[in-house]
Amino acid sequence: MASDPKDARDEDKPSVKRNTRKIILISLVVIVALLLFAGVGMHFTSQPYFCNTCHEISPNVASWQVSPHNNVPCLNCHANPGTVGYVSRKLKGLGEVYLHFTNQIPAKIEPKINIQMCINCHTGQNSGFPTAKNITVETGPQAPQVSHKFMLDNKVSCLNCHRYTAHPPSQQTPGLR
């Protein structure tokens, strides 16, 4: 007595469903693990001590350590605001790591500073730094010594007056501006 092919197909269906569920579950576990690994790696490589591991930037980390901004992590100044800015900067950092390990370090290193990051901290928009001077107030302990109203109104770059606030020039790498 030959078995009905329809019966054989019905028996395979639970097995196929079970295998599909396993594949989906394993895929989700792998994706979550990769995302966690990437997040931890991005956090670790965003710390000043990691930046200090490259000899060409270590004098700048040393100057930052003695500056008034020594409690501000590197990417708070050297990345654009938001998650996209953070991830974009991390991807550019991979290129810098490549240049370091292939000994293709540029003669002049041009740091990228987004002035909006200064404004975020110094207008009270970044609650992570509650003791930062607030350039929008005129009096009180959080007020700067000089009014910044003109600079804010006219979009004057913070670097015009505060270029060396985070990295005093006597400590910087030669060629770094």
Side-chain angles (χ1 to χ4, degrees), residues 8-24:
R9 280 180 284 176
D10 288 342
E11 288 174 10
D12 287 343
K13 284 184 181 180
S15 176
V16 170
K17 285 183 180 179
R18 198 174 318 123
N19 286 341
T20 303
R21 286 184 192 147
K22 282 182 184 177
I23 290 170
I24 290 171

Side-chain angles (χ1 to χ4, degrees), residues 149-163:
K149 183 173 177 13
F150 174 83
M151 280 70 88
L152 286 171
D153 291 347
N154 293 289
K155 299 186 183 338
V156 175
S157 172
C158 306
L159 297 178
N160 286 354
C161 299
H162 302 283
R163 181 166 208 69

Side-chain angles (χ1 to χ4, degrees), residues 32-143:
V32 168
L34 287 173
L35 288 173
L36 284 171
F37 180 74
V40 168
M42 288 176 72
H43 175 74
F44 174 76
T45 59
S46 297
Q47 304 307 311
Y49 57 82
F50 180 81
C51 299
N52 200 30
T53 59
C54 292
H55 59 87
E56 57 269 355
I57 210 75
S58 60
N60 298 298
V61 174
S63 69
W64 164 82
Q65 288 172 329
V66 298
S67 80
H69 283 88
N70 65 2
N71 63 333
V72 180
C74 304
L75 291 184
N76 281 39
C77 298
H78 296 287
N80 291 333
T83 303
V84 172
Y86 176 80
V87 172
S88 173
R89 183 63 189 105
K90 296 307 295 176
L91 291 173
K92 288 177 187 171
L94 284 174
E96 293 166 2
V97 169
Y98 171 79
L99 293 175
H100 173 77
F101 283 108
T102 59
N103 203 25
Q104 299 179 49
I105 301 150
K108 185 188 278 187
I109 299 171
E110 294 285 340
K112 305 293 186 250
I113 300 167
N114 185 320
I115 303 308
Q116 188 58 47
M117 299 302 278
C118 303
I119 293 169
N120 286 352
C121 281
H122 290 284
T123 57
Q125 296 176 40
N126 186 336
S127 60
F129 299 98
T131 59
K133 295 290 184 188
N134 188 326
I135 58 176
T136 61
V137 297
E138 297 291 324
T139 60
Q142 293 302 107

